[in-house]
């Protein structure tokens, strides 16, 4: 019996590692291609160089695109997290009349195909005569990201002991004081992961950006345009750069999260 | 005055708190509700408006015709083919992903122990890399003289198979992209299975297959169903896979919608198509969600 369990566990480990290798394979391929000296990709790579990276960092156009992507992602993060924190409290903490309906409605956009949502938003902006720019993209990203962040924070809210809030009320705190001194600090790990999710999902979003940025361009959008027409080896370079940035943010965010949890536990 | 006197006032502290919570919950939900009202429901209404407008026009809410729907349901139209392809791809994606993810979800719950948060992060991370970039990586892998072909040739094994730009490759791309959406709900679902129940069954002499079929699977079902629903719905909406990896060897439904809006500038037709897809997806989602207890699923962690 025990030997059988051990063998199954080993198989599960092996399978998981295999799937992870497959998942990271294309990301690694992109990274390799970005160091290829020649304009055309061939494997094994004959000559390595950082030419395309240099060209990318020198390009003014790419600088603009990176700036737009960062601006959009930062604004989405700030707005989404503020709204979603309250949304998560309504989702998981309070018992109120419309809650069941609200829980379903909030999940609907997550399940919704993003290209169709993007087109619908474009239509909506058009109907009310709003020119699409990176600002409309901020709004579009929020429509999809706020529900995701709400769920992420809601998981933290479920694990939260309501009697702590009630004790603070009984001790004579005002609602604002309770929010600032009790609720938010206890939810902080969830809010923090919500922030990471919001930033990174906006940073990598393609289908919504495609229809709602107008003449402005974000990184995933620019990459797609170049893949379809006018390919340059800067595509793998910029793609790899975006990936490395996302990894660095996730790593830094994870470290802060661990530190916060430690401090809370102490 | 009389009304106020007649209404029963909240008496105990607990009742008072409940009365306050009611309004508080609604107030907390308000910003999200406004955002989704403007950003999600309103565009859907705009689409609905366009769907009944004169074809190839922009006079939304000023004309009413069923012509767009007639075009869609016309059997000579190829739209049905796209819809069937999309459904077929989505179904296969769900089936394949269920098989691929189950052992991993099981492992995350029962086998990996302290390593499982790290392994989860490794599975989440690809979500933060743009879909294009990852799919393009596969093009580099499979293309002639690419990573696979080049490596095989290097070892003198002929060359890699020419699989790029085929329907099978589209399916592969979808399985690849939607893995996390199946894996995480499934993991949550398996977390709902009480360990002592499994242990008890084992002590009573139940075989592994029996335990799996009678205990583990039914109790994990809510999570598995959410995963299946999520991947199916996302699969219906998939376009990038068919475009980048499938090389348009198959036209999927989202691409038809996009074409109607962009190249052929027939917004009413595109809207009608979106309405059909939306109704299909919304009905499926709401039906499935009505069967699930979200509080129980998300609350247990």
């Amino acid at each position: 019996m025990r030997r059988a369990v051990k063998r199954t566990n080993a198989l599960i480990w092996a399978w998981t590692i295999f799937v992870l290798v497959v998942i990271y394979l294309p990301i690694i391929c992109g990274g390799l291609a970005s160091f290829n000296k020649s304009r055309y990709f061939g494997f094994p790579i004959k000559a390595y160089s950082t030419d395309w990276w240099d060209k990318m960092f020198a390009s003014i156009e790419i600088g603009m695109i990176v700036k737009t992507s960062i601006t959009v992602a930062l604004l989405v993060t700030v707005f989404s997290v503020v709204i979603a924190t309250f949304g998560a409290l309504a989702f998981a903490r309070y018992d109120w009349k419309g809650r069941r309906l609200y829980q379903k409605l909030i999940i609907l956009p997550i399940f919704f195909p993003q290209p169709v949502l993007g087109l619908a938003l474009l239509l909506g902006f058009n109907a009310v005569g709003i020119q699409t720019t990176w600002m409309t993209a901020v709004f579009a990203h929020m429509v999809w990201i706020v529900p995701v962040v709400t769920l992420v924070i809601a998981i933290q809210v479920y694990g939260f002991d309501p009697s702590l809030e009630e004790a603070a009320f009984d001790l004579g705190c005002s609602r604002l004081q309770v929010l600032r001194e009790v609720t938010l600090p206890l939810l902080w790990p969830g809010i923090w992961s919500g922030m990471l999710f919001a930033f990174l999902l906006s940073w990598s979003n393609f289908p919504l950006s495609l229809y709602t940025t107008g003449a402005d361009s974000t990184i995933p959008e620019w990459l797609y345009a170049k893949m379809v027409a006018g390919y340059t080896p800067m595509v793998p370079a910029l793609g790899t750069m975006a990936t490395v940035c996302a990894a660095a943010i996730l790593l830094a965010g994870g470290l802060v999260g661990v530190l916060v949890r430690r401090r809370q536990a102490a | 005055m009389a009304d106020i006197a007649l209404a029963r006032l909240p008496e105990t502290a607990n009742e008072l708190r409940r009365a306050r919570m009611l309004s508080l919950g609604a107030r907390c939900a308000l910003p999200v509700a406004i955002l989704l009202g403007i950003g999600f429901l309103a565009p859907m209404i705009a689409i609905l408006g366009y769907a009944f407008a004169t074809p190839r026009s922009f006079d939304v809410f000023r004309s009413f015709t069923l012509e767009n729907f007639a075009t869609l349901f016309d059997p000579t139209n190829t739209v049905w083919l796209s819809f069937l392809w999309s459904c077929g791809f989505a179904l296969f994606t769900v089936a394949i992903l269920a098989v691929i993810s189950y052992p991993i979800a099981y492992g995350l719950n029962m086998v990996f122990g302290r390593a499982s948060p790290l392994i989860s992060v490794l599975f989440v991370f690809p979500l933060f890399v743009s879909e294009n970039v990852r799919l393009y990586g596969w093009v580099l892998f499979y293309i002639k003289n690419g990573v696979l072909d080049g490596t095989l040739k290097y070892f003198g094994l002929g060359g890699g198979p020419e699989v790029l730009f085929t329907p099978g490759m589209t399916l592969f791309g979808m399985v690849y992209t939607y893995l996390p959406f199946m894996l995480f709900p499934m993991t949550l679902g398996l977390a709902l299975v009480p360990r002592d129940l499994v242990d008890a069954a084992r002590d009573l002499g139940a075989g592994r297959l029996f335990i799996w079929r009678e205990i583990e699977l039914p109790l994990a079902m809510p999570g598995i169903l959410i995963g299946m629903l999520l991947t199916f719905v996302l699969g219906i909406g998939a376009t990038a896979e068919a475009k980048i990896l499938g090389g348009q060897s198959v036209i999927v439904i989202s691409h038809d919608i996009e074409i109607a809006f962009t190249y052929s500038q027939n917004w009413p037709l595109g809207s009608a198509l979106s309405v059909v897809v939306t109704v299909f997806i919304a009905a499926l989602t709401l039906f499935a969600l009505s069967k699930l207890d979200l509080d129980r699923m998300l609350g247990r962690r």
Side-chain angles (χ1 to χ4, degrees):
Chain A
M1 190 71 190
R2 282 212 57 80
R3 192 181 295 160
V5 170
K6 256 190 186 153
R7 205 178 48 211
T8 321
N9 287 359
L11 276 175
I12 288 173
W13 269 108
W15 176 244
T16 306
I17 290 166
F18 169 74
V19 174
L20 275 174
V21 168
V22 172
I23 283 180
Y24 285 93
L25 200 56
I27 299 176
I28 294 163
C29 289
L32 280 175
S34 70
F35 291 105
N36 183 18
K37 193 171 172 57
S38 144
R39 221 190 132 71
Y40 301 99
F41 182 67
F43 196 82
I45 290 170
K46 289 181 192 71
Y48 288 91
S49 83
T50 53
D51 288 2
W52 302 111
W53 285 79
D54 297 340
K55 285 207 173 83
M56 177 184 79
F57 286 122
S59 158
I60 294 164
E61 188 199 359
I62 290 184
M64 291 282 296
I65 287 155
V66 171
K67 215 176 105 191
T68 311
S69 289
I70 292 175
T71 315
V72 170
L74 277 179
L75 288 175
V76 168
T77 307
V78 173
F79 294 145
S80 301
V81 166
V82 172
I83 296 178
T85 302
F86 291 104
L89 286 170
F91 189 101
R93 167 85 167 80
Y94 303 127
D95 210 3
W96 52 290
K97 244 191 211 149
R99 188 163 81 113
R100 296 274 155 197
L101 183 69
Y102 167 78
Q103 285 184 330
K104 277 171 200 136
L105 283 183
I106 210 169
I107 288 183
L108 214 52
I110 305 180
F111 280 60
F112 206 78
Q114 285 185 57
V116 180
L117 183 59
L119 274 168
L121 279 160
L122 176 64
L123 234 82
F125 290 133
N126 212 285
V128 288
I130 295 175
Q131 189 81 38
T132 49
T133 59
W134 61 267
M135 284 181 267
T136 47
V138 170
F139 181 78
H141 283 194
M142 278 173 67
V143 173
W144 189 71
I145 289 172
V146 164
V148 177
V149 177
T150 304
L151 281 188
V152 170
I153 300 178
I155 290 172
Q156 185 81 27
V157 178
Y158 276 115
F160 169 106
D161 183 3
S163 60
L164 292 171
E165 265 185 355
E166 279 163 26
F169 275 124
D170 291 344
L171 291 172
C173 282
S174 72
R175 182 168 299 159
L176 211 66
Q177 271 177 315
V178 172
L179 189 71
R180 208 179 50 219
E181 305 287 336
V182 182
T183 316
L184 288 184
L186 283 174
L187 293 185
W188 183 236
I191 294 174
W192 184 250
S193 16
M195 276 167 76
L196 279 181
F197 263 83
F199 187 90
L200 294 171
L201 287 177
S202 170
W203 175 253
S204 63
N205 185 286
F206 167 65
L208 292 171
S209 306
L210 179 65
Y211 298 110
T212 54
T213 50
D216 300 325
S217 209
T218 62
I219 295 174
E221 224 192 317
W222 186 87
L223 288 174
Y224 180 75
K226 289 292 164 187
M227 279 178 210
V228 175
Y231 174 80
T232 115
M234 274 194 270
V235 167
L238 184 58
T240 306
M241 199 273 288
T243 307
V244 170
C245 286
I249 290 167
L250 189 68
L251 199 70
L255 282 178
V256 172
V258 168
L259 288 179
V260 166
R261 254 169 250 257
R262 281 246 170 95
R263 241 182 58 189
Q264 259 186 4
Chain B
M1 276 310 273
D3 287 320
I4 293 168
L6 280 173
R8 211 174 74 83
L9 288 166
E11 272 163 299
T12 63
N14 217 6
E15 269 181 351
L16 242 163
R17 194 164 296 129
R18 190 152 306 144
R20 196 171 50 204
M21 285 305 179
L22 257 169
S23 59
L24 195 57
R27 258 183 285 159
C28 282
L30 202 62
V32 176
I34 292 173
L35 173 80
L36 294 185
I38 301 174
F40 189 67
L41 294 180
M44 295 303 141
I45 292 169
I47 275 202
L48 202 65
Y50 268 106
F52 294 105
T54 320
R56 294 178 196 286
S57 77
F58 293 92
D59 40 340
V60 59
F61 296 125
R62 268 171 289 166
S63 58
F64 183 88
T65 166
L66 289 172
E67 222 175 303
N68 300 305
F69 288 97
T71 317
L72 291 185
F73 289 96
D74 183 357
T76 56
N77 198 319
T78 55
V79 160
W80 280 109
L81 211 61
S82 308
F83 195 69
L84 284 180
W85 268 112
S86 282
C87 284
F89 276 141
L91 274 178
F92 273 109
T93 306
V94 169
I96 296 169
L97 274 178
V99 177
I100 292 180
S101 314
Y102 196 90
I104 304 173
Y106 182 87
L108 284 171
N109 274 305
M110 324 272 185
V111 182
F112 303 149
R114 291 185 54 151
S116 50
L118 178 71
I119 292 175
S120 306
V121 170
L122 286 175
F123 277 106
V124 175
F125 179 69
L127 287 179
F128 305 139
V129 181
S130 189
E131 209 175 294
N132 303 331
V133 175
R134 284 179 291 146
L135 294 177
Y136 185 71
W138 281 121
V139 175
L140 293 173
F141 182 78
Y142 281 113
I143 207 163
K144 214 166 173 50
N145 287 322
V147 176
L148 182 65
D149 192 47
T151 310
L152 289 175
K153 272 183 188 153
Y154 184 77
F155 289 109
L157 291 165
E162 293 200 14
V163 286
L164 219 53
F165 312 133
T166 58
M169 206 61 215
T170 306
L171 184 63
F172 174 85
M174 285 169 66
V175 168
Y176 174 74
T177 317
Y178 299 125
L179 177 82
F181 296 97
M182 178 66 95
L183 180 62
F184 288 104
M186 212 178 223
T187 309
L188 271 177
L190 275 170
L192 292 174
V193 181
R195 292 287 279 273
D196 13 344
L197 206 62
V198 177
D199 290 340
R202 190 171 296 140
D203 290 345
L204 291 170
R208 304 181 98 204
L209 201 67
F210 186 84
I211 294 176
W212 179 73
R213 206 185 56 209
E214 298 293 325
I215 299 173
E216 204 177 288
L217 202 59
L219 286 175
M221 219 40 184
I224 298 174
L225 281 180
I226 284 210
M228 287 182 154
L229 177 74
L230 196 53
T231 35
F232 183 77
V233 165
L234 291 170
I236 295 269
T239 32
E241 292 80 7
K243 270 188 207 164
I244 299 175
L245 282 179
Q248 310 279 33
S249 59
V250 163
I251 305 292
V252 290
I253 194 75
S254 308
H255 189 248
D256 268 339
I257 296 179
E258 199 189 315
I259 291 292
F261 276 107
T262 51
Y263 298 107
S264 53
Q265 284 288 316
N266 194 350
W267 287 24
L269 183 70
S271 300
L273 199 47
S274 308
V275 167
V276 173
V277 174
T278 303
V279 167
F280 183 67
I281 288 174
L284 205 68
T285 310
L286 289 176
F287 172 75
L289 287 179
S290 70
K291 303 262 166 216
L292 297 165
D293 185 352
L294 290 170
D295 283 328
R296 216 172 81 83
M297 283 220 55
L298 293 169
R300 270 197 64 125
R301 270 278 272 223

